[in-house]
Amino acid sequence: MREKWMVAILSACLLLSGCTGLKDIQDLNYIVAIGMDYDEKKGEYITYLQSLNFAEVAKQEGGRPTGPIPAFVAKAKGKTLNLAVSHLYKKSEPPLFFGHVITFVISNHLVDHKFREVVEEIERNKSLRHTMRIVIAEDPIQDVFQAKALFDYPAPYTVMFRKGGNRAYLDSLKPMLALQFLREYFEPMGVAKIPMVKIDHNTWKAEKKYPVLFFNGWAVFQNRKHIANLPFKDSLYMEWLTEKKNSVEEEVNEHEKLLAAVKLDSPKMKVKYMKGTASPVFSVELSVKGDLLEKIEDVSITKLNRIIAADTKKKVAALYKEGIQQQADLLNVGKKWYRRHPKSFHELEKSGTFYLDESSLKSIKVKAEISHFNTYKYYKREE
């Protein structure tokens, strides 16, 4: 009987000691972002780590920080990403922990010189989660990592760590997950894209200028090559057309006279392909709905819808033409075509030529409808 009690007591002790190997939150150095640049002269990768002091955040018990939380940024060089990071292990106490990496930041210079190698590393490295966000820094990575959100909120409140959700912010680009980018990057047709993050020094000011981060456009890739960096306006319009997770605010003008301001929801875009063609030949149909934000001039709803439709058609055509000039499929029409026409795609692939030209787009039809009027007394008279 005594032996049974001893066994029971020892078993209980073993169960109680099962968590003794776990570390407290303040006993680890949590890395929330990794940055990579490339030194072409030395042939070395420059790695940056952004660390967050979770112990300071935890002390607030759900409230906002009572004072500034410093951003800790480490830097090291090496022939590979892993070798560069390994130099930082011996110089970090408490030890580094990569289980909470949220964002991977790449420099513009690295995109131009070693991007394919970095993509392959992200794809095969099991310690990098494919659910992390991926961005391209237009400014030095160290400066980007030092930037905070407004009111001295720490790095995870900046745009680099923004959650995608079902819908993006108004007039803003959504973040890109590494998994989604890799899927689009290895597609034989269509574009892949990464948001470019930039520091704005002029919009916000406290006692002095307060730098904040924002998405400044898309870096566009076609057939596993970096094609171009689209400016913000074109990038936003491209996302509005193809991603169906955004809204845009637009001016309604006639002969350079402002008539109204409207918010347009994501359009329903149908792409109709012609049959029996050796490459994509198609027409586009758009259905656009939106809200009236401001009425500047007295204009009928019929005329307002007509102007919005004409302006949208013009912008879609301009975006498509810009893509053709850079050999990029900015409307992503090739993605569905090659799946429906595998034989034609393989023949086209052998030719090595870009699959779109100006004659590929046969027509654009747009139907616009403003359905909410923001308490304006809007009379629907015809013109």
Side-chain angles (χ1 to χ4, degrees), residues 121-140:
E121 179 64 28
I122 294 174
E123 186 183 22
R124 67 169 173 259
N125 195 320
K126 300 303 179 184
S127 30
L128 296 176
R129 295 183 299 174
H130 287 176
T131 53
M132 67 181 179
R133 295 151 187 79
I134 181 169
V135 301
I136 293 174
E138 293 194 67
D139 296 295

Side-chain angles (χ1 to χ4, degrees), residues 190-379:
V191 295
K193 51 195 185 296
I194 301 177
M196 300 180 295
V197 68
K198 189 173 179 62
I199 303 175
D200 172 54
H201 295 274
N202 300 314
T203 301
W204 289 95
K205 184 178 180 181
E207 296 177 352
K208 57 182 180 179
K209 290 183 178 180
Y210 194 101
V212 294
L213 300 176
F214 71 103
F215 286 150
N216 193 39
W218 287 118
V220 175
F221 300 81
Q222 178 92 39
N223 197 22
R224 304 183 192 181
K225 295 179 181 178
H226 178 222
I227 300 299
N229 292 339
L230 289 183
F232 175 80
K233 191 173 181 180
D234 291 339
S235 300
L236 181 66
Y237 210 78
M238 174 185 170
E239 182 170 310
W240 178 72
L241 285 170
T242 60
E243 296 293 336
K244 301 180 178 16
K245 291 183 179 180
N246 212 339
S247 300
V248 294
E249 290 186 353
E250 294 278 276
E251 296 179 358
V252 181
N253 294 287
E254 184 182 40
H255 306 305
E256 299 184 357
K257 183 178 182 181
L258 181 61
L259 302 180
V262 296
K263 184 188 78 170
L264 302 178
D265 293 329
S266 298
K268 294 181 180 179
M269 185 171 74
K270 292 183 179 180
V271 179
K272 295 185 176 181
Y273 301 93
M274 290 184 62
K275 296 180 180 180
T277 59
S279 61
V281 179
F282 63 97
S283 59
V284 173
E285 294 182 4
L286 285 172
S287 177
V288 182
K289 292 187 177 182
D291 304 336
L292 177 68
L293 298 179
E294 291 184 81
K295 184 175 72 170
I296 312 301
E297 300 289 338
D298 190 19
V299 57
S300 74
I301 187 63
T302 303
K303 184 176 182 179
L304 188 67
N305 288 334
R306 187 168 65 245
I307 294 174
I308 293 171
D311 184 60
T312 302
K313 179 179 178 179
K314 182 179 178 181
K315 289 179 178 178
V316 172
L319 184 66
Y320 175 77
K321 186 176 181 180
E322 181 180 354
I324 294 301
Q325 292 172 349
Q326 299 172 343
Q327 293 197 340
D329 182 6
L330 297 184
L331 298 183
N332 261 338
V333 297
K335 192 178 292 185
K336 289 184 179 179
W337 183 86
Y338 91 86
R339 292 192 177 99
R340 295 178 183 179
H341 308 84
K343 292 183 179 180
S344 298
F345 163 70
H346 288 305
E347 292 297 323
L348 186 62
E349 191 177 32
K350 292 177 183 177
S351 68
T353 59
F354 186 54
Y355 54 88
L356 296 175
D357 56 34
E358 291 192 14
S359 64
S360 300
L361 177 57
K362 292 301 181 183
S363 65
I364 303 173
K365 295 181 181 179
V366 182
K367 180 182 179 181
E369 180 184 358
I370 298 299
S371 52
H372 297 90
F373 303 101
N374 197 23
T375 71
Y376 280 102
K377 293 181 179 179
Y378 212 98
Y379 300 100

